[in-house]
């Protein structure tokens, strides 16, 4: 038996509602005991002083982009998994917009087998890379035209269904909801009206006028959300709304939840930290989809996550090569990396500032994402399998290529100093 005692570590566990300094004993990949002072130890227990460190359940990312297959120069599966582990994520879920798209059981099998091989051969001692799941495409080549063989994909073990792209054909959306109802899998939609969006790249408002960039009206998002909710209501199938970015969208989701419709929602970590004022730098890494909101959107999103109206925070990790992002703001592909940066920045901006409690942040990054995916959340309690991370909120480090596992560096924080770092991600075998 291998045992380790984490002494006087700050345990944050949303499942049990615990945020306190305590001892944690780990035996052979299981949590043996959680108590104020553990003295009865197995022979040869390794004792580790964890004063000032945070121990929390592993983080769960609802959706992110993989470069592999098709765009390995941006990110391969191994580097993505290493980056996720370095950021504290023990479960990640990949969007189907790869090349080829994840619209066929053979592609699902290939990715799951390769991720399993990477986990089994992980060079990191006493730890495993994150568990990888994939979203199955709703339509062939995520083109929004022809439905995939949904039942065949469901049988391969996809975590759920999404295209991760805006929809134009709402008659097809209605049919999709009817077909997916008996499969019992989560279904997620990115709501944006393509015609209202046009060629816009920033959120409509005074900042957009000052920047001189084409804008996207709030109604591009809200009209699509309203249409989706109207379609889902009579069918009653649970839906997840991705990438919520406006205050008005929060109002629509809140009223829908109050009516009893089974809907969950998520926003991305960058939409909780920055608003349109940040775009004055014209940094192409701030070209996101949906775009950063105005200040009132940021405030509404933070409050909605805090209260649970928005269930979870997604990373939406979107790697691109240096050449792809070294263009003008309007021409840059949308997206930024995030696995290794999200927890430190969210902790620094929201927990250290006192706006959120540590439990509220962890709940939105771990417990609720798992629940959105119909999975059991990990917990730090006796008898539970070890799926947790050790985080040092005080460690300072610089965001630069040599300090990152991800192959891409498309982030607006490149070159900046950051406080807070994941020291260890421990994920016993599934």
């Amino acid at each position: 038996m291998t045992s380790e005692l984490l002494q006087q570590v700050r345990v944050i566990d949303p499942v049990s509602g615990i945020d306190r300094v305590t001892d944690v004993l780990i035996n052979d990949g299981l949590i043996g005991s959680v108590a104020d002072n553990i003295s009865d130890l197995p022979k040869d227990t390794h004792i580790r002083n964890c004063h000032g460190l945070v121990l929390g359940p592993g983080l769960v990312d609802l959706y992110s982009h993989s470069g592999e297959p098709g765009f390995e120069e941006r990110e391969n599966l191994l580097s993505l998994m290493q980056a996720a582990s370095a950021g504290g994520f023990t479960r990640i879920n990949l969007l189907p917009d790869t090349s080829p798209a994840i619209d066929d059981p053979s592609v699902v099998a290939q990715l799951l087998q390769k991720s399993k091989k990477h986990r089994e051969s992980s060079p990191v001692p006493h730890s495993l890379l994150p568990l990888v799941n994939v979203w199955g495409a709703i339509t062939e080549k995520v083109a929004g035209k022809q439905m995939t063989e949904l039942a065949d994909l469901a049988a391969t073990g996809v975590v759920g269904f999404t295209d991760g792209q805006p929809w134009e054909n709402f008659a097809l959306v209605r049919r999709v909801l009817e077909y997916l109802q008996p499969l019992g899998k989560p279904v997620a939609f990115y709501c944006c009206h393509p015609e209202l969006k046009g060629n816009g790249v920033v959120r409509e408002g005074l900042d957009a006028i000052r920047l001189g960039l084409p804008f996207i009206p709030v109604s591009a998002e809200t009209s699509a959300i309203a249409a989706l909710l109207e379609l889902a209501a009579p069918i009653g199938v649970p839906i997840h709304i991705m990438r919520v970015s406006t205050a008005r969208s929060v109002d629509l989701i809140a009223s829908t939840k109050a009516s009893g419709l089974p809907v969950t929602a998520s926003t991305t970590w960058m939409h909780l930290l920055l608003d349109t004022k940040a775009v004055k730098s014209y940094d192409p890494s701030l070209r996101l989809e949906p775009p950063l909101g105005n200040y009132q959107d940021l405030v509404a999103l933070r409050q909605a996550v805090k209260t649970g109206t928005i269930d979870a925070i997604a990373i939406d990790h979107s790697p691109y090569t240096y050449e792809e992002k070294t263009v003008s703001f309007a021409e840059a592909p949308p997206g930024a990396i995030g696995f290794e940066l999200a927890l430190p920045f969210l902790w620094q901006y929201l927990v250290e500032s006192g706006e959120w409690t540590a439990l509220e942040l962890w709940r939105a990054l771990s417990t609720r994402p798992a629940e959105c995916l119909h999975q059991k959340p990990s917990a730090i309690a006796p008898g539970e399998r070890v799926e947790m991370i050790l985080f040092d909120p005080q460690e300072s480090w610089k965001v630069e290529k040599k300090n990152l596992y991800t192959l891409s560096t498309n982030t607006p924080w490149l070159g900046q100093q950051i406080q807070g770092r994941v020291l260890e991600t421990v994920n016993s075998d599934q």
Side-chain angles (χ1 to χ4, degrees), residues 117 122-123 126 150 161 194 229 234 241 259 310 327 387 420 424 428:
K117 182 178 178 181
S122 171
H126 312 301
L150 299 173
F161 292 94
L229 294 175
I241 300 175
S259 71
I310 300 295
V327 293
E387 186 183 348
E424 192 172 327
S428 63

Side-chain angles (χ1 to χ4, degrees), residues 201-271:
V201 293
V202 293
R203 179 64 65 209
E204 179 180 22
L206 289 176
D207 290 325
I209 295 171
R210 296 188 186 104
L211 292 165
L213 293 169
F215 62 80
I216 302 174
V218 170
S219 58
E221 178 170 293
T222 56
S223 62
I225 289 177
L228 175 64
L229 294 175
E230 283 296 307
L231 291 173
I235 300 171
V237 61
I239 58 172
H240 181 84
I241 300 175
M242 310 165 64
R243 304 179 181 129
V244 176
S245 69
T246 72
R248 175 58 184 151
S249 298
V250 170
D251 292 340
L252 288 172
I253 293 165
S255 61
T256 300
K257 285 189 169 188
S259 71
L261 187 69
V263 58
T264 58
S266 58
T267 188
T268 82
W269 71 288
M270 289 184 66
H271 286 83

Side-chain angles (χ1 to χ4, degrees), residues 50-334:
C50 294
H51 179 75
L53 303 182
V54 170
L55 184 72
L59 308 184
V60 179
D61 181 35
L62 278 169
Y63 44 85
S64 279
H65 301 265
S66 171
E68 186 177 352
F71 305 100
E72 285 84 356
E73 68 278 7
R74 297 174 179 169
E75 186 87 275
N76 60 53
L77 188 58
L78 178 58
S79 69
L80 181 144
M81 294 173 71
Q82 290 173 331
S85 181
F89 290 87
T90 54
R91 307 180 204 175
I92 57 176
N93 301 275
L94 304 182
L95 289 167
D97 58 346
T98 50
S99 181
I102 306 174
D103 60 1
D104 183 89
S106 64
V107 183
V108 176
Q110 179 187 14
L111 278 169
L112 295 184
Q113 288 170 6
K114 196 160 190 177
S115 70
K116 183 180 179 182
K117 182 178 178 181
H118 287 324
R119 295 183 78 235
E120 290 172 345
S121 61
S122 171
V124 183
H126 312 301
S127 178
L128 284 176
L129 294 172
L131 179 67
V132 174
N133 279 309
V134 298
W135 288 90
I138 295 175
T139 64
E140 294 178 0
K141 299 179 181 179
V142 294
K145 304 293 184 183
Q146 179 68 38
M147 269 193 294
T148 57
E149 296 294 337
L150 299 173
D152 290 348
L153 281 172
T156 66
V158 295
V159 73
F161 292 94
T162 187
D163 275 2
Q165 306 290 337
W167 284 76
E168 296 183 24
N169 186 344
F170 278 91
L172 180 57
V173 171
R174 186 175 185 276
R175 291 212 310 277
V176 164
L177 292 173
E178 292 171 340
Y179 273 93
L180 286 176
Q181 188 174 29
L183 297 181
K185 293 277 188 178
V187 55
F189 293 92
Y190 169 39
C191 296
C192 180
H193 195 295
E195 291 184 359
L196 287 172
K197 174 193 170 187
N199 65 345
V201 293
V202 293
R203 179 64 65 209
E204 179 180 22
L206 289 176
D207 290 325
I209 295 171
R210 296 188 186 104
L211 292 165
L213 293 169
F215 62 80
I216 302 174
V218 170
S219 58
E221 178 170 293
T222 56
S223 62
I225 289 177
L228 175 64
L229 294 175
E230 283 296 307
L231 291 173
I235 300 171
V237 61
I239 58 172
H240 181 84
I241 300 175
M242 310 165 64
R243 304 179 181 129
V244 176
S245 69
T246 72
R248 175 58 184 151
S249 298
V250 170
D251 292 340
L252 288 172
I253 293 165
S255 61
T256 300
K257 285 189 169 188
S259 71
L261 187 69
V263 58
T264 58
S266 58
T267 188
T268 82
W269 71 288
M270 289 184 66
H271 286 83
L272 294 169
L273 299 180
L274 302 171
D275 60 24
T276 50
K277 288 182 176 58
V279 184
K280 66 182 180 182
S281 66
Y282 293 95
D283 185 336
S285 291
L286 289 171
R287 164 82 167 92
L288 305 177
E289 196 167 281
L292 292 170
N294 293 301
Y295 178 70
Q296 61 266 32
D297 298 315
L298 180 145
V299 172
L301 289 171
R302 287 185 178 183
Q303 182 63 20
V305 174
K306 185 180 174 74
T307 62
T309 300
I310 300 295
D311 299 82
I313 301 170
I315 306 306
D316 209 6
H317 178 81
S318 304
Y320 288 100
T321 64
Y322 174 82
E323 291 76 15
E324 286 176 303
K325 274 291 193 177
T326 311
V327 293
S328 68
F329 185 91
E331 294 175 343

Side-chain angles (χ1 to χ4, degrees), residues 398-412:
K398 193 172 184 179
V399 182
E400 53 188 359
K401 181 68 176 176
K402 67 179 181 179
N403 291 330
L404 297 169
Y405 281 93
T406 181
L407 297 181
S408 299
T409 55
N410 54 304
T411 172

